[in-house]
């Protein structure tokens, strides 16, 4: 790739891009920061707000019509993944959310997403991740809420795996793998702080 090494994927020659669904979609391409994988099957994504980054699945595309952004304050990113899981991810960013009000955010999020289990909390020094999941015969739903602990900002995530029809067998076989994969992906969501860390 030589001359393309310092370019964003959207500025590169299409022939030099990885032949995966994410790079074949013009709208999704604008969010991808590099052709180098962050880990196997994932590429670096930067929010349109510039306020958070995450691993983006190679088989995913962002739904252009359902995507919305209001300056740097609010963003909704719907991601459709084409693989054996038929997963759908919905990411919503709120710039104003503060860590001292997390309980009320989680309560409202639970009601809106239909999650019935309690959220578990995982944290590092910069942010906290709250995680819960629901399961029925139709969908396996994982919900995550990431709160910035160094400033303002909160991100709601719903990761839904379709278990209907021919996907049912796959769903039951992948139950443990699904949880591990989703948790690893949720942990990839990181706020971009003013100091660059």
């Amino acid at each position: 790739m030589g001359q393309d090494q310092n370019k964003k994927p959207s500025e590169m020659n299409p022939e030099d891009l990885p032949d995966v669904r994410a790079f074949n979609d013009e709208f999704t391409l604008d969010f991808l920061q590099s052709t180098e994988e962050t880990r196997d099957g994932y590429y670096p994504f930067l929010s349109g707000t510039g306020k958070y980054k995450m691993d983006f699945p190679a088989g995913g595309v962002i739904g252009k019509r359902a995507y919305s952004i209001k300056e740097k304050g609010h963003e909704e990113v719907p991601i459709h993944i084409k693989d054996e899981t038929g997963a759908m991810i919905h990411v919503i960013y709120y710039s104003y959310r503060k860590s001292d009000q997390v309980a009320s955010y989680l309560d409202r999020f639970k009601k809106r997403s239909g999650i019935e289990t309690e959220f578990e909390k995982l944290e590092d020094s910069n942010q906290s991740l709250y995680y819960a999941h629901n399961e029925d015969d139709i969908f396996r739903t994982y919900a995550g809420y990431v709160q910035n602990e160094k400033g303002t900002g909160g991100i709601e995530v719903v990761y839904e795996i379709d278990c209907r029809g021919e996907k049912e067998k796959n769903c039951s076989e992948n139950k443990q793998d699904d949880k591990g994969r989703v948790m690893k992906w949720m942990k990839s969501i990181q706020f971009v702080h003013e100091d660059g860390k």
Side-chain angles (χ1 to χ4, degrees), residues 185-196:
W185 174 76
M186 284 186 183
K187 288 175 184 174
S188 82
I189 300 170
Q190 297 290 321
F191 288 98
V192 176
H193 299 286
E194 300 302 322
D195 59 9

Side-chain angles (χ1 to χ4, degrees), residues 26-105:
E26 206 174 309
F27 186 68
T28 303
L29 193 57
D30 281 340
F31 297 88
L32 302 176
Q33 301 302 297
S34 169
T35 56
E36 296 293 315
E37 290 179 310
T38 51
R39 58 193 169 92
D40 192 30
Y42 291 86
Y43 294 89
F45 165 100
L46 180 65
S47 154
T49 65
K51 298 294 186 180
Y52 64 95
K53 58 187 178 177
M54 63 188 183
D55 291 350
F56 193 88
V61 294
I62 297 167
K64 185 176 181 179
R65 284 190 301 186
Y67 173 83
S68 70
I69 187 168
K70 291 178 186 156
E71 296 170 355
K72 302 276 186 212
H74 181 85
E75 182 183 42
E76 292 192 40
V77 184
I79 303 165
H80 307 267
I81 303 174
K82 200 169 194 173
D83 63 10
E84 70 281 354
T85 66
M88 171 76 191
I89 305 173
H90 203 88
V91 179
I92 307 177
Y93 167 74
Y94 302 89
S95 64
Y96 60 85
R97 291 198 166 176
K98 298 177 180 172
S99 57
D100 62 355
Q101 293 174 39
V102 164
S104 67
Y105 303 146

Side-chain angles (χ1 to χ4, degrees), residues 115-130:
I115 293 291
E116 292 162 10
T117 57
E118 292 304 312
F119 280 90
E120 294 172 42
K121 183 179 181 182
L122 303 168
E123 59 188 319
D124 66 24
S125 56
N126 295 330
Q127 62 190 44
S128 297
L129 168 63
Y130 298 82

Side-chain angles (χ1 to χ4, degrees), residues 143-166:
Y145 179 75
V146 188
Q147 177 63 50
N148 189 348
E149 300 291 355
K150 280 182 77 174
T152 59
I155 300 168
E156 290 181 359
V157 179
V158 175
Y159 193 120
E160 214 165 48
I161 296 172
D162 190 345
C163 293
R164 294 173 295 183
E166 71 268 10

